[in-house]
Short mmCIF file of all heavy atoms in Angstrom, two decimals:
data_model
loop_
_atom_site.label_atom_id
_atom_site.label_comp_id
_atom_site.label_asym_id
_atom_site.label_seq_id
_atom_site.Cartn_x
_atom_site.Cartn_y
_atom_site.Cartn_z
N HIS A 58 -33.35 -27.34 22.12
CA HIS A 58 -34.78 -27.37 22.20
C HIS A 58 -35.45 -26.28 21.41
O HIS A 58 -36.51 -26.61 20.78
CB HIS A 58 -35.17 -27.16 23.69
CG HIS A 58 -34.64 -28.37 24.56
ND1 HIS A 58 -35.12 -29.63 24.40
CD2 HIS A 58 -33.72 -28.37 25.52
CE1 HIS A 58 -34.44 -30.42 25.23
NE2 HIS A 58 -33.60 -29.69 25.90
N THR A 59 -34.88 -25.09 21.27
CA THR A 59 -35.53 -24.04 20.60
C THR A 59 -35.00 -23.86 19.22
O THR A 59 -35.67 -23.27 18.36
CB THR A 59 -35.37 -22.64 21.36
OG1 THR A 59 -33.97 -22.32 21.41
CG2 THR A 59 -35.90 -22.72 22.79
N GLY A 60 -33.74 -24.36 18.96
CA GLY A 60 -33.05 -24.08 17.68
C GLY A 60 -32.41 -22.68 17.60
O GLY A 60 -31.81 -22.36 16.63
N GLY A 61 -32.57 -21.92 18.73
CA GLY A 61 -31.95 -20.58 18.78
C GLY A 61 -30.47 -20.72 18.64
O GLY A 61 -29.82 -21.73 18.84
N VAL A 62 -29.87 -19.68 18.16
CA VAL A 62 -28.38 -19.69 17.82
C VAL A 62 -27.71 -18.47 18.48
O VAL A 62 -28.23 -17.41 18.54
CB VAL A 62 -28.21 -19.51 16.30
CG1 VAL A 62 -26.69 -19.47 15.94
CG2 VAL A 62 -28.84 -20.77 15.60
N THR A 63 -26.57 -18.73 19.10
CA THR A 63 -25.61 -17.76 19.49
C THR A 63 -24.33 -17.80 18.66
O THR A 63 -23.84 -18.89 18.41
CB THR A 63 -25.23 -18.00 20.99
OG1 THR A 63 -26.38 -17.72 21.81
CG2 THR A 63 -24.18 -16.96 21.40
N GLY A 64 -23.94 -16.63 18.15
CA GLY A 64 -22.74 -16.62 17.29
C GLY A 64 -21.77 -15.50 17.81
O GLY A 64 -22.35 -14.43 18.24
N LEU A 65 -20.60 -15.78 17.67
CA LEU A 65 -19.58 -14.74 18.11
C LEU A 65 -18.33 -14.80 17.17
O LEU A 65 -17.83 -15.90 16.92
CB LEU A 65 -19.12 -15.06 19.61
CG LEU A 65 -18.03 -14.13 20.07
CD1 LEU A 65 -18.49 -12.78 20.26
CD2 LEU A 65 -17.51 -14.71 21.51
N TRP A 66 -17.94 -13.66 16.73
CA TRP A 66 -16.72 -13.59 15.91
C TRP A 66 -15.88 -12.47 16.46
O TRP A 66 -16.23 -11.40 16.58
CB TRP A 66 -17.22 -13.14 14.47
CG TRP A 66 -16.28 -13.76 13.44
CD1 TRP A 66 -15.00 -14.30 13.60
CD2 TRP A 66 -16.48 -13.81 12.07
NE1 TRP A 66 -14.51 -14.75 12.39
CE2 TRP A 66 -15.41 -14.39 11.40
CE3 TRP A 66 -17.55 -13.36 11.21
CZ2 TRP A 66 -15.30 -14.55 9.98
CZ3 TRP A 66 -17.47 -13.58 9.92
CH2 TRP A 66 -16.31 -14.16 9.20
N LEU A 67 -14.68 -12.94 16.90
CA LEU A 67 -13.66 -12.02 17.41
C LEU A 67 -13.12 -11.27 16.24
O LEU A 67 -12.72 -11.90 15.22
CB LEU A 67 -12.62 -12.76 18.16
CG LEU A 67 -11.48 -11.98 18.80
CD1 LEU A 67 -12.06 -11.02 19.88
CD2 LEU A 67 -10.46 -12.91 19.40
N LEU A 68 -13.06 -9.90 16.32
CA LEU A 68 -12.45 -9.10 15.28
C LEU A 68 -11.25 -8.39 15.74
O LEU A 68 -11.10 -8.08 16.98
CB LEU A 68 -13.53 -8.07 14.87
CG LEU A 68 -14.90 -8.60 14.43
CD1 LEU A 68 -15.88 -7.41 14.29
CD2 LEU A 68 -14.82 -9.36 13.16
N ALA A 69 -10.36 -8.03 14.89
CA ALA A 69 -9.20 -7.17 15.28
C ALA A 69 -9.79 -5.81 15.82
O ALA A 69 -9.22 -5.25 16.70
CB ALA A 69 -8.32 -6.89 14.05
N GLU A 70 -10.93 -5.43 15.27
CA GLU A 70 -11.58 -4.23 15.71
C GLU A 70 -12.44 -4.39 17.05
O GLU A 70 -12.78 -3.40 17.63
CB GLU A 70 -12.55 -3.67 14.67
CG GLU A 70 -11.82 -3.37 13.31
CD GLU A 70 -11.69 -4.62 12.41
OE1 GLU A 70 -12.14 -5.65 12.88
OE2 GLU A 70 -11.09 -4.36 11.41
N SER A 71 -12.76 -5.59 17.34
CA SER A 71 -13.44 -5.87 18.61
C SER A 71 -14.31 -7.18 18.41
O SER A 71 -13.78 -8.25 18.44
CB SER A 71 -14.33 -4.82 19.13
OG SER A 71 -14.77 -5.11 20.52
N HIS A 72 -15.68 -7.08 18.23
CA HIS A 72 -16.43 -8.25 18.12
C HIS A 72 -17.80 -8.07 17.34
O HIS A 72 -18.22 -6.93 17.16
CB HIS A 72 -16.72 -8.87 19.50
CG HIS A 72 -17.70 -7.94 20.31
ND1 HIS A 72 -17.29 -7.04 21.14
CD2 HIS A 72 -18.97 -8.00 20.38
CE1 HIS A 72 -18.24 -6.37 21.70
NE2 HIS A 72 -19.39 -6.95 21.20
N LEU A 73 -18.31 -9.17 16.89
CA LEU A 73 -19.64 -9.32 16.37
C LEU A 73 -20.31 -10.45 17.06
O LEU A 73 -19.76 -11.55 17.09
CB LEU A 73 -19.36 -9.53 14.77
CG LEU A 73 -20.53 -9.98 13.94
CD1 LEU A 73 -21.66 -8.92 13.97
CD2 LEU A 73 -19.92 -10.12 12.47
N ALA A 74 -21.52 -10.18 17.52
CA ALA A 74 -22.24 -11.27 18.17
C ALA A 74 -23.78 -11.20 17.84
O ALA A 74 -24.24 -10.16 17.53
CB ALA A 74 -22.09 -11.07 19.70
N CYS A 75 -24.42 -12.35 17.81
CA CYS A 75 -25.88 -12.42 17.62
C CYS A 75 -26.41 -13.51 18.56
O CYS A 75 -25.71 -14.48 18.92
CB CYS A 75 -26.22 -12.72 16.24
SG CYS A 75 -26.09 -14.41 15.66
N HIS A 76 -27.63 -13.32 18.83
CA HIS A 76 -28.41 -14.26 19.67
C HIS A 76 -29.83 -14.28 19.05
O HIS A 76 -30.48 -13.26 18.98
CB HIS A 76 -28.57 -13.81 21.13
CG HIS A 76 -27.30 -13.56 21.79
ND1 HIS A 76 -26.39 -14.58 22.21
CD2 HIS A 76 -26.65 -12.37 21.99
CE1 HIS A 76 -25.28 -13.96 22.71
NE2 HIS A 76 -25.38 -12.62 22.59
N THR A 77 -30.19 -15.51 18.63
CA THR A 77 -31.58 -15.55 18.04
C THR A 77 -32.50 -16.27 19.00
O THR A 77 -32.16 -17.19 19.74
CB THR A 77 -31.62 -16.37 16.65
OG1 THR A 77 -31.37 -17.75 16.84
CG2 THR A 77 -30.63 -15.72 15.68
N PHE A 78 -33.78 -15.86 18.92
CA PHE A 78 -34.78 -16.43 19.80
C PHE A 78 -36.05 -16.74 18.97
O PHE A 78 -36.98 -15.93 18.81
CB PHE A 78 -35.15 -15.40 20.89
CG PHE A 78 -34.04 -14.98 21.72
CD1 PHE A 78 -33.32 -13.91 21.37
CD2 PHE A 78 -33.74 -15.69 22.86
CE1 PHE A 78 -32.21 -13.47 22.17
CE2 PHE A 78 -32.71 -15.38 23.71
CZ PHE A 78 -31.93 -14.22 23.31
N PRO A 79 -36.01 -17.92 18.21
CA PRO A 79 -37.10 -18.27 17.31
C PRO A 79 -38.43 -18.31 18.04
O PRO A 79 -39.49 -17.95 17.45
CB PRO A 79 -36.66 -19.65 16.80
CG PRO A 79 -35.41 -19.97 17.41
CD PRO A 79 -34.96 -18.95 18.28
N GLU A 80 -38.45 -18.72 19.35
CA GLU A 80 -39.69 -18.83 20.08
C GLU A 80 -40.33 -17.39 20.28
O GLU A 80 -41.44 -17.32 20.57
CB GLU A 80 -39.47 -19.53 21.43
CG GLU A 80 -38.65 -18.79 22.40
CD GLU A 80 -37.10 -19.00 22.27
OE1 GLU A 80 -36.59 -19.27 21.18
OE2 GLU A 80 -36.42 -18.87 23.34
N TYR A 81 -39.51 -16.33 20.12
CA TYR A 81 -40.02 -15.01 20.19
C TYR A 81 -39.94 -14.22 18.86
O TYR A 81 -40.14 -13.00 18.76
CB TYR A 81 -39.18 -14.18 21.25
CG TYR A 81 -39.36 -14.78 22.67
CD1 TYR A 81 -38.33 -15.30 23.27
CD2 TYR A 81 -40.58 -14.64 23.29
CE1 TYR A 81 -38.43 -15.93 24.60
CE2 TYR A 81 -40.74 -15.19 24.60
CZ TYR A 81 -39.64 -15.83 25.17
OH TYR A 81 -39.78 -16.37 26.46
N GLN A 82 -39.46 -14.96 17.86
CA GLN A 82 -39.28 -14.34 16.50
C GLN A 82 -38.30 -13.17 16.56
O GLN A 82 -38.63 -12.15 15.91
CB GLN A 82 -40.65 -14.13 15.85
CG GLN A 82 -41.56 -15.30 15.68
CD GLN A 82 -42.86 -14.85 15.14
OE1 GLN A 82 -43.51 -13.96 15.63
NE2 GLN A 82 -43.28 -15.53 14.07
N SER A 83 -37.26 -13.23 17.36
CA SER A 83 -36.39 -12.07 17.46
C SER A 83 -34.91 -12.46 17.31
O SER A 83 -34.54 -13.58 17.61
CB SER A 83 -36.71 -11.36 18.69
OG SER A 83 -36.34 -12.13 19.87
N ILE A 84 -34.10 -11.47 16.99
CA ILE A 84 -32.57 -11.56 16.97
C ILE A 84 -32.08 -10.34 17.66
O ILE A 84 -32.61 -9.20 17.51
CB ILE A 84 -32.09 -11.73 15.52
CG1 ILE A 84 -30.60 -11.92 15.57
CG2 ILE A 84 -32.49 -10.62 14.66
CD1 ILE A 84 -29.98 -12.19 14.17
N CYS A 85 -31.00 -10.59 18.46
CA CYS A 85 -30.25 -9.41 19.04
C CYS A 85 -28.84 -9.48 18.38
O CYS A 85 -28.23 -10.55 18.35
CB CYS A 85 -30.16 -9.57 20.49
SG CYS A 85 -31.79 -9.51 21.30
N LEU A 86 -28.40 -8.37 17.87
CA LEU A 86 -27.14 -8.33 17.17
C LEU A 86 -26.34 -7.18 17.80
O LEU A 86 -26.85 -6.14 18.07
CB LEU A 86 -27.45 -8.04 15.64
CG LEU A 86 -26.27 -7.95 14.73
CD1 LEU A 86 -25.56 -9.32 14.59
CD2 LEU A 86 -26.77 -7.58 13.32
N ASN A 87 -25.06 -7.47 17.99
CA ASN A 87 -24.08 -6.43 18.49
C ASN A 87 -22.82 -6.41 17.65
O ASN A 87 -22.24 -7.40 17.40
CB ASN A 87 -23.73 -6.83 19.96
CG ASN A 87 -22.81 -5.89 20.60
OD1 ASN A 87 -21.68 -6.19 20.88
ND2 ASN A 87 -23.32 -4.65 20.91
N VAL A 88 -22.46 -5.21 17.22
CA VAL A 88 -21.29 -5.00 16.44
C VAL A 88 -20.52 -3.92 17.14
O VAL A 88 -21.02 -2.80 17.23
CB VAL A 88 -21.56 -4.62 14.94
CG1 VAL A 88 -20.27 -4.41 14.20
CG2 VAL A 88 -22.51 -5.62 14.28
N PHE A 89 -19.22 -4.24 17.48
CA PHE A 89 -18.39 -3.18 18.20
C PHE A 89 -17.11 -3.04 17.36
O PHE A 89 -16.46 -3.96 17.11
CB PHE A 89 -18.10 -3.52 19.58
CG PHE A 89 -17.31 -2.54 20.37
CD1 PHE A 89 -17.37 -1.19 20.06
CD2 PHE A 89 -16.60 -2.93 21.48
CE1 PHE A 89 -16.65 -0.20 20.78
CE2 PHE A 89 -15.89 -1.98 22.24
CZ PHE A 89 -15.91 -0.62 21.86
N CYS A 90 -16.84 -1.76 16.93
CA CYS A 90 -15.63 -1.55 16.16
C CYS A 90 -14.87 -0.51 16.87
O CYS A 90 -15.38 0.58 17.32
CB CYS A 90 -16.00 -1.05 14.71
SG CYS A 90 -16.96 -2.14 13.71
N CYS A 91 -13.57 -0.61 16.91
CA CYS A 91 -12.73 0.29 17.66
C CYS A 91 -12.40 1.58 16.82
O CYS A 91 -11.79 2.56 17.34
CB CYS A 91 -11.40 -0.35 18.09
SG CYS A 91 -10.32 -0.88 16.79
N GLN A 92 -12.83 1.58 15.60
CA GLN A 92 -12.61 2.68 14.72
C GLN A 92 -13.96 3.04 13.97
O GLN A 92 -14.69 2.02 13.67
CB GLN A 92 -11.60 2.51 13.64
CG GLN A 92 -10.17 2.32 14.22
CD GLN A 92 -9.12 2.05 13.23
OE1 GLN A 92 -9.46 1.78 12.12
NE2 GLN A 92 -7.89 2.20 13.61
N PRO A 93 -14.28 4.22 13.72
CA PRO A 93 -15.54 4.58 13.06
C PRO A 93 -15.69 3.87 11.73
O PRO A 93 -14.73 3.52 11.03
CB PRO A 93 -15.40 6.04 12.85
CG PRO A 93 -14.48 6.54 13.78
CD PRO A 93 -13.45 5.47 14.05
#
Side-chain angles (χ1 to χ4, degrees):
H58 297 295
T59 64
V62 175
T63 292
L65 176 65
W66 210 348
L67 181 63
L68 306 171
E70 300 83 3
S71 193
H72 68 270
L73 168 58
C75 78
H76 308 281
T77 71
F78 302 91
E80 68 273 29
Y81 298 110
Q82 298 177 311
S83 67
I84 181 173
C85 299
L86 183 65
N87 179 250
V88 183
F89 185 23
C90 298
C91 64
Q92 296 179 343

